[in-house]
Amino acid sequence: MLSEFSELQGQLSILCEERSNLVDTIRQLEATNIEVETSGIQDCEYQLTKHEFSALGHGKYSVCSTTESSDEIEKQELEASVKDEVSFYDTKEHFTEPTSSPSSFTGFDEAECRFGNVEKMHSVKEVSNYDCLHMERRKRLPDPAEKEKGVSLWSLIKDNVGKDLTRVCLPVYFNEPISSLQKCFEDMEYSYLLDRAYEFGKAGDSLMRILNVAAFAVSGYASSEGRHCKPFNPLLGETYEADYPDKGVRFFSEKVSHHPTLIACQCEGKGWKFWGDSNIRTKFWGRSIQLDPVGVLTLEFDDGEIFQWSKVTTKIFNLILGKIYCDHHGMMDIRGNGQYSCKLKFKEPTILDRNPHQVNGFVEDIMGKKVASLFGKWNDSMYYNKGDETAKPKDFNPSYGASLLWKSTKPPPNLTRYNLTSFAITLNELTPGLQEKLPPTDSRLRPDQRHLENGEYEKANAEKQRLEMRQRISRKLQENGWKPRWFQREGETGPFRYVGGYWESREQGNWDGCPDIFGELSEDLTESAKGS
């Protein structure tokens, strides 16, 4: 037996050595593949430079395309898919190999995930000085009051293939108990990355600033893992506020246009502001849904540095047969008025791809020189390597020296069919004393959404149909000269910007001019819409 074990151990050692060599080869191919893919990224139409950004967001940019759709590129992707098994490696395996260097993050804890490398920053407590203001929030949704009933998918599919989902009346079965306004704030779950970027910028490290901004731009997609229900489409004039002192952020959003559907938001953090208005063009293809975002997101630090980017395309697959899942693909170009810019590629899934959700890219300076590379997965983590890798040696291994930028949080223990994250579970919560302070337009006061959260499905469906009747009148009201309450468009076609006054009105409890959008239709409102 000892002799046989010795022989097997020798064979195992040989196999391990061969596997190690193969992994090194795969990593070299992957690094080459990243360079080839990212070098072909086309520049966006909007350019932010020190000289051109004197107007500070006064509409001197246009939306860039977030996807590549030319036949040539699609053909190259299909041809490359056969090689993907050897040209892409799993990020998790990549950091658990026995040959990995000690500098890779193989055993990081929560503190390392949250704050990473802080040698050039102040203490962790100074970076996150809001812990003393922590508010206890719920850990799970209410238990359903009744058993949910299924719906006839075929009857919906045959009538709505190829239509815009914003114009299709779907039963509440397809919704999750949050609105699109709340969904916007969900992207701020990892706002500590922007706090960290602010601190790095103060310390004079502009490269680490944009690396953290890039990680933040990717982190907003992590919550979409396992989410296949659509958020509620807000009513015209519907709002949502989120005040999270423990995270050091204050967020406000409003639906500013019904046709086209536009949502504007503003978020304030420690040393930074984030704003944007967004529209999603949806297409329902029977077995899948495609979501194409339109709009530019802007991040401004107190020192004047600004970054802008647009979101990538999202697809939800297997609506009829198989396990429903979503994925994201396209190019994300993060432009700034400072020294660096970043280009990221969300890899489109293929049939032969056994390693999905990959994101990779690079940071370059104003001269076009690559100064850092990024890689990881949008649902898990992002890592970076500093330095120009175009002149890498033959035995280059991207794992050596790689550092963790961001790690997603674990899913909650009490999962529902909505698969909400622990953070998303808190978004629709009415904490003690909050309801009395909210305006009548807040999403948490929307009855169909509240009934769905409580598992009162019959009531939720009835309220949804009633409110969608109001939604039809909203277009007439908008054509008749309706204007947003808290946001204003810059120029005729510019972005919507927050005009202020909301938090002051909240403190005073003065909501004059805020309509009761969730109440019953009044005769005056109906006649006004008909007359227009």
Side-chain angles (χ1 to χ4, degrees), residues 21-82:
N21 293 334
L22 179 60
V23 168
D24 289 340
T25 303
I26 290 174
R27 288 168 177 165
Q28 293 175 24
L29 290 171
E30 166 67 4
T32 304
N33 193 46
I34 291 175
E35 181 183 343
V36 171
E37 286 182 338
T38 54
S39 63
I41 299 177
Q42 296 181 353
D43 290 343
C44 288
E45 294 179 16
Y46 59 88
Q47 301 283 337
L48 297 185
T49 66
K50 293 180 180 179
H51 304 289
E52 296 176 352
F53 208 85
S54 58
L56 283 180
H58 281 68
K60 291 188 177 181
Y61 52 83
S62 59
V63 180
C64 71
S65 172
T66 56
T67 58
E68 293 179 332
S69 58
S70 68
D71 294 336
E72 183 179 353
I73 294 177
E74 290 180 0
K75 182 178 179 181
Q76 292 175 357
E77 289 282 354
L78 288 173
E79 292 174 350
S81 65
V82 180

Side-chain angles (χ1 to χ4, degrees), residues 403-525:
S403 302
L404 178 71
L405 271 174
W406 159 76
K407 179 75 175 177
S408 63
T409 57
K410 296 180 180 179
N414 303 307
L415 287 175
T416 65
R417 82 172 184 89
Y418 308 113
N419 288 325
L420 298 180
T421 63
S422 298
F423 181 62
I425 287 174
T426 69
L427 299 183
N428 200 49
E429 180 184 12
L430 282 169
T431 54
L434 178 61
Q435 185 168 350
E436 293 75 17
K437 301 177 181 179
L438 295 176
T441 54
D442 195 275
S443 293
R444 278 164 290 206
L445 305 180
R446 180 168 174 161
D448 54 350
Q449 185 173 306
R450 182 61 59 186
H451 286 313
L452 178 61
E453 181 183 284
N454 293 332
E456 301 167 327
Y457 306 110
E458 294 295 333
K459 292 181 179 179
N461 263 318
E463 286 293 328
K464 188 171 187 288
Q465 291 179 9
R466 180 181 69 83
L467 292 176
E468 284 180 349
M469 184 173 293
R470 291 193 62 126
Q471 193 79 304
R472 297 186 188 100
I473 297 177
S474 295
R475 182 174 181 179
K476 295 290 185 181
L477 292 175
Q478 185 174 329
E479 292 173 354
N480 202 30
W482 181 91
K483 293 183 179 180
R485 176 70 175 82
W486 308 105
F487 288 83
Q488 184 176 347
R489 186 186 289 275
E490 295 183 341
E492 295 183 0
T493 59
F496 281 89
R497 291 293 303 272
Y498 175 60
V499 295
Y502 175 82
W503 298 103
E504 291 77 8
S505 295
R506 184 185 190 275
E507 186 176 347
Q508 299 169 5
N510 180 14
W511 299 119
D512 294 341
C514 293
D516 183 14
I517 61 174
F518 303 131
E520 295 293 337
L521 282 172
S522 65
E523 293 184 4
D524 294 340
L525 183 63

Side-chain angles (χ1 to χ4, degrees), residues 254-258 260-264 277-279 294 489 496:
E254 179 184 9
K255 182 173 180 179
V256 295
S257 172
H258 178 62
T261 300
L262 284 177
I263 293 173
D277 56 67
S278 63
N279 179 22
V294 178
R489 186 186 289 275
F496 281 89

